[in-house]
Amino acid sequence: MAGSNPNAKPMNLTLKVWRQPNRQAQGKIVEYQVKDISPDMSFLEMLDVLNEDLLHAGQDPVAFDHDCREGICGSCDLFINGRSHGPEKGTTTCQLHMRKFSDGDTITIEPWRANAFPVNKDLSVDRSAFDRIIQAGGYVSVNTGGAPDGNEIPVPKEIADRAFEAATCIGCGACVAACKNASAMLFVSAKVSQLALLPQGQVERKTRVENMVAQMDKEGFGACTNIGSCAAECPVGISLENIAILNREFLAAKAASNNLA
Amino acid sequence: MSWITKTFTSSIGRKIIMSLTGLFLCTFLVVHLIGNLQLFKHDGGAAFNTYSHFMGTNPIIRTIEWGLVLGFGFHIYEALMLTRRNKAARGSQGYVSNHSEQNSEWTSRNMGILGTIILIFLLVHLYNFFWRARFAGDLPRMGGADPLTRDYDNLYLAVVSSFHIWWYVLLYVAAQISLGYHLWHGFRSGFQTLGLNHRKYTPIIKYVGYAFAVVVSAGFASMPLYFFLFTNADGELAANAPALLQSVAAAF
Ligand code: HEM
Ligand code: SF4
Ligand code: FES
């Protein structure tokens, strides 16, 4: 059942999958065999095959997170063979294809690990800590009304490009998963610098960074030691420069904001 | 909590202290290294003893010394607080398979271990050359006595004889290797933490940091190695030392 590539030979694989019935339970690695996997399948489609096999055998399928399967939503989140989103650079798990593996490989699949990301079940983790950080300041408050004309607020192209690059963060959490300190600073810095660069973000600029960092600390994420695993594993290539911007923004806000608390 | 304590107990605030103290300690290393180079002067230790006497008695230097104590104190304290926070953040269940070597440098992931080796060295080093030598009056027993000239306060001789103890030389060199790796990552990391990241300057800072790490650690390590391998107990170059060293020593 090889796919569109006529030379692609189906593969047989051994999977070592983290199984954990619920949040409180102790989990463990369970070994499975999957057969006839097309190299053209995505990693998640390969897991679909495993789950079909498990259902046919009357067993509980493996829970894992996914939604768009197009690399844009940030839902998929597997730690594959010791790397966030697997071995391929700049790729989400849903966009990782089985041709990156070879017949007979053993693949270890684990959930994101971080104290702030509890495991719900098997490979599915709770990333609502990220939502709460965004709720703490990752937005701009605007009055609704007539839409302003395009180009009414001038933004230089270079600034727009940099803000857009930061805005590509899909909130997947690969940065936290890869980081030795389980630090969320790449994620937080992407949102802070995106909004700090744009005119719309100026109104809440100081309060935003103060509140987002406070929430990040409260959720129990670690502190960045500039290791760089995050940027290396980020599927959309958010750069470490954003963390420097975050630190600058934080210091400037702490020094000059009107918030005494 | 006031906004000030809140700022400096936040994750970024602690990092800022870490980097300011770390970079301050880097400037201290430069001064210390240049001073210690007097050891190589071929004058029986006169230059080195003048320098160390100046450092030990000058009131301005003695005041700055307190800054150094604070610098180390805060650097180590924040290292502890941040390491504790980061360990807790990682959680109790680790990965079964984790290939962080494929996405980052070893030095950057082991700053705490490297720092701890530096700390152990620092304690031994301070006990000998600060406490025993300066306050406890132990200098003669450390080899710092010259019965011929009735000079019982000769730090140079104490250093030279310490550098003939194999385990001391080993500790010294191991600590300098650790320091080199600590700075390999730490130098540029300190700038990044302060928000000083710019596409023009960051590559320069990175390579200056690498050079700094190598020059400083090799510079400090060269001293015990030189005395251990090539000199006698008085710091005189041994007759069988390589010819190159003989001619270099003669020039100074
Ligand atoms: C002469 C001695 C030392 C120098 C010049 C030095 C320098 C530095 C520098 C420049 C940094 C980077 C700061 C940053 O990333 O913002 C750093 C980080 C660090 N240092 Fe040191 N250090 C020294 C001694 C120590 C000692 C004795 C310890 C531990 C007991 C230590 C533990 C650490 C740790 C854990 C980090 C990483 C922390 C982080 O980035 O959050 N260091 N050091
Ligand atoms: S910074 Fe990159 S790795 Fe982190 S959440 Fe955003 S997209 Fe994912
Ligand atoms: S499922 Fe949406 S990015 Fe992978």
Side-chain angles (χ1 to χ4, degrees):
Chain A
M1 68 175 242
S4 54
N5 178 354
N7 299 320
K9 291 204 179 62
M11 323 189 257
N12 296 334
L13 302 162
T14 303
L15 305 180
K16 289 183 162 178
V17 183
W18 183 263
R19 301 299 313 254
Q20 180 174 334
N22 57 53
R23 268 195 194 203
Q24 284 74 35
Q26 183 62 43
K28 64 173 191 299
I29 291 281
V30 179
E31 215 173 278
Y32 300 102
Q33 308 292 330
V34 283
K35 293 200 171 60
D36 285 338
I37 297 298
S38 157
D40 292 332
M41 278 182 182
S42 76
F43 200 85
L44 298 185
E45 286 170 326
M46 183 275 294
L47 286 181
D48 292 338
V49 172
L50 168 68
N51 277 347
E52 267 178 48
D53 290 351
L54 289 176
L55 280 169
H56 282 303
Q59 292 175 35
D60 194 21
V62 178
F64 61 89
D65 298 314
H66 61 107
D67 188 15
C68 71
R69 297 205 177 194
E70 290 182 331
I72 53 177
C73 75
S75 297
C76 54
D77 56 358
L78 302 179
F79 206 73
I80 302 163
N81 281 348
R83 306 277 302 274
S84 297
H85 295 298
E88 197 180 3
K89 208 173 156 50
T91 315
T92 56
T93 298
C94 62
Q95 294 299 298
L96 174 66
H97 285 84
M98 295 314 293
R99 53 181 162 271
K100 296 287 162 188
F101 299 88
S102 316
D103 187 32
D105 275 3
T106 298
I107 307 175
T108 307
I109 312 169
E110 299 174 77
W112 282 175
R113 298 276 181 211
N115 212 28
F117 286 167
V119 173
N120 284 327
K121 183 174 194 288
D122 300 332
L123 302 172
S124 168
V125 296
D126 177 356
R127 281 167 289 177
S128 56
F130 269 13
D131 300 340
R132 290 187 291 275
I133 294 175
I134 294 294
Q135 281 158 13
Y139 51 80
V140 288
S141 306
V142 285
N143 294 321
T144 51
D149 285 345
N151 296 335
E152 195 184 351
I153 308 171
V155 180
K157 168 100 168 76
E158 190 206 328
I159 300 292
D161 285 348
R162 285 174 60 197
F164 190 78
E165 262 172 43
T168 55
C169 167
I170 53 178
C172 65
C175 42
V176 174
C179 174
K180 180 185 183 231
N181 311 315
S183 169
M185 285 199 194
L186 195 66
F187 166 76
V188 174
S189 72
K191 192 53 67 192
V192 165
S193 42
Q194 176 207 333
L195 297 178
L197 283 162
L198 295 174
Q200 294 86 344
Q202 300 312 306
V203 182
E204 290 142 324
R205 182 168 178 177
K206 295 183 189 126
T207 310
R208 169 182 307 113
V209 64
E210 289 185 323
N211 289 349
M212 287 183 79
V213 170
Q215 189 65 33
M216 169 183 90
D217 287 352
K218 197 169 142 204
E219 298 290 346
F221 291 105
C224 174
T225 43
N226 304 320
I227 293 172
S229 308
C230 54
E233 299 291 19
C234 172
V236 298
I238 301 293
S239 83
L240 288 181
E241 190 189 348
N242 291 294
I243 297 184
I245 295 175
L246 170 70
N247 291 4
R248 285 207 296 269
E249 289 289 321
F250 178 78
L251 264 188
K254 281 296 182 190
S257 81
N258 286 322
N259 305 322
L260 285 176
Chain B
M1 251 196 309
S2 83
W3 67 273
I4 300 175
T5 48
K6 239 185 188 162
T7 302
F8 290 107
T9 53
S10 70
S11 53
I12 298 181
R14 288 194 188 283
K15 284 283 334 204
I16 303 275
I17 297 176
M18 197 76 209
S19 92
L20 287 176
T21 53
L23 292 174
F24 166 66
L25 292 177
C26 287
T27 63
F28 149 74
L29 289 178
V30 173
V31 176
H32 197 9
L33 179 65
I34 293 175
N36 284 14
L37 286 178
Q38 313 302 322
L39 280 173
F40 286 130
K41 204 132 193 271
H42 210 57
D43 61 358
F48 181 76
N49 281 335
T50 310
Y51 151 73
S52 59
H53 186 73
F54 171 77
M55 295 305 264
T57 50
N58 184 289
I60 297 174
I61 302 286
R62 299 303 307 272
T63 312
I64 297 176
E65 216 166 63
W66 283 104
L68 194 60
V69 171
L70 285 179
F72 268 112
F74 273 103
H75 193 75
I76 294 166
Y77 172 74
E78 296 299 356
L80 275 172
M81 299 307 281
L82 283 167
T83 305
R84 219 176 59 176
R85 170 184 198 98
N86 293 343
K87 280 236 152 65
R90 193 90 290 290
S92 49
Q93 175 66 52
Y95 289 112
V96 175
S97 160
N98 187 0
H99 286 290
S100 46
E101 80 285 354
Q102 293 173 4
N103 60 34
S104 54
E105 281 190 16
W106 182 88
T107 52
S108 65
R109 284 179 272 116
N110 290 282
M111 292 296 277
I113 295 168
L114 294 167
T116 308
I117 299 174
I118 300 170
L119 181 62
I120 293 169
F121 161 77
L122 199 67
L123 293 175
V124 175
H125 182 66
L126 284 179
Y127 173 70
N128 277 332
F129 291 120
F130 192 76
W131 174 247
R132 283 183 72 195
R134 203 188 281 175
F135 297 107
D138 266 356
L139 205 57
R141 253 174 292 155
M142 294 164 68
D146 187 349
L148 284 180
T149 59
R150 294 171 170 268
D151 174 7
Y152 297 105
D153 189 25
N154 192 329
L155 188 64
Y156 175 79
L157 285 181
V159 169
V160 172
S161 58
S162 299
F163 285 173
H164 277 93
I165 305 171
W166 68 266
W167 65 264
Y168 198 76
V169 172
L170 196 70
L171 174 70
Y172 214 105
V173 171
Q176 295 317 310
I177 293 172
S178 302
L179 179 67
Y181 279 115
H182 199 77
L183 294 175
W184 186 267
H185 174 69
F187 191 88
R188 87 181 126 122
S189 176
F191 286 87
Q192 162 81 4
T193 300
L194 294 179
L196 301 173
N197 181 315
H198 190 281
R199 60 191 62 188
K200 276 187 183 159
Y201 305 110
T202 297
I204 302 173
I205 292 171
K206 183 170 142 183
Y207 288 106
V208 168
Y210 290 167
F212 184 80
V214 172
V215 169
V216 167
S217 56
F220 277 119
S222 68
M223 294 160 192
L225 286 174
Y226 169 77
F227 286 100
F228 187 70
L229 295 175
F230 301 121
T231 74
N232 65 19
D234 293 330
E236 289 299 326
L237 201 60
N240 60 356
L244 180 68
L245 271 183
Q246 305 274 13
S247 52
V248 171
F252 289 92

